[in-house]
Each structure stands twice: as C-alpha cells, then as structure tokens.
Amino acid sequence: MRRSLLLVPVADERLWSVRMGGVRWICGFTDETALARFAVHHGPGDQPVDYAALLGARIVDEIVPALGEPAGLAVDIATEDGSMFFPPVTGIVPEAVAVDTGEGEEGAER
C-alpha cells in the first residue's frame, strides 16, 4: 500500500472521505476502473470525477495526521471482494495519531 499510487476522488478541492465507526476513511482506488465503479454510485452524475494521484505512504504519513481526527485509508471500496482497509493503528499511521497507543487515556501506560 505504501508504494502504491492511489487515485483519490476530489470534491470541492478536498479528498473524498466517509465517516464510519468513528473513523474518517480516505477513499483511494488502485486504477481508473476501480474509481469508475465508485463514481457510478457516488459521482456527480454524468460529469467526470476529478482525482488526485497520491502514494499510499503520503496519505497515511502526511494527510491522515493533518486531519486531526482518527482516520484511515479505504482502498477499492466499490470492488466486490477486493476492498482493503488500513485503520488508524500503530504500524499503519504515525504513532502520534494511532488510536491504539493509549495516548490521551487517563492512567494508560505504553
């Protein structure tokens, strides 16, 4: 995922994301076909979908921490049996924004 180039839809000059289960998921796609499957259900009708091409590492290392809330990466969410989710946990996102570090919990030890 980190070395993969992902296509992330852009709406109103912001990366497309969805909130589910207390996490903001940035939605990325491995190719234009996967993005097109998504656009059929969530795109602006017959208009083309704008997107940014970003490395997975940039998304989880730079963009996720900048959001200021628990966030992860959802890949190919419109692909049956092909979706992948990278949650905001240690080893995927920087430790400072991982939800499983115990930081911020009163009395928690590391």
Side-chain angles (χ1 to χ4, degrees):
M1 172 274 293
R2 298 185 63 76
R3 294 182 184 169
S4 296
L5 188 64
L6 298 171
L7 309 179
V8 181
V10 176
D12 299 324
E13 298 183 24
R14 301 179 80 181
L15 298 179
W16 202 89
S17 64
V18 62
R19 283 186 180 89
M20 183 172 51
V23 175
R24 178 188 242 183
W25 297 96
I26 296 172
C27 300
F29 300 89
T30 53
D31 58 35
E32 288 182 344
T33 301
L35 176 59
R37 278 192 293 272
F38 166 81
V40 166
H41 299 288
H42 301 284
D46 60 350
Q47 300 295 316
V49 173
D50 291 331
Y51 62 87
L54 303 167
L55 285 175
R58 180 162 184 222
I59 295 169
V60 297
D61 292 344
E62 297 175 26
I63 296 169
V64 163
L67 293 174
E69 65 181 295
L73 174 62
V75 178
D76 289 345
I77 60 172
T79 302
E80 189 175 325
D81 298 327
S83 299
M84 297 171 277
F85 292 86
F86 299 93
V89 296
T90 305
I92 294 178
V93 299
E95 190 172 320
V97 296
V99 297
D100 64 337
T101 62
E103 287 187 23
E105 294 178 20
E106 199 170 308
E109 294 184 24
R110 296 186 91 214

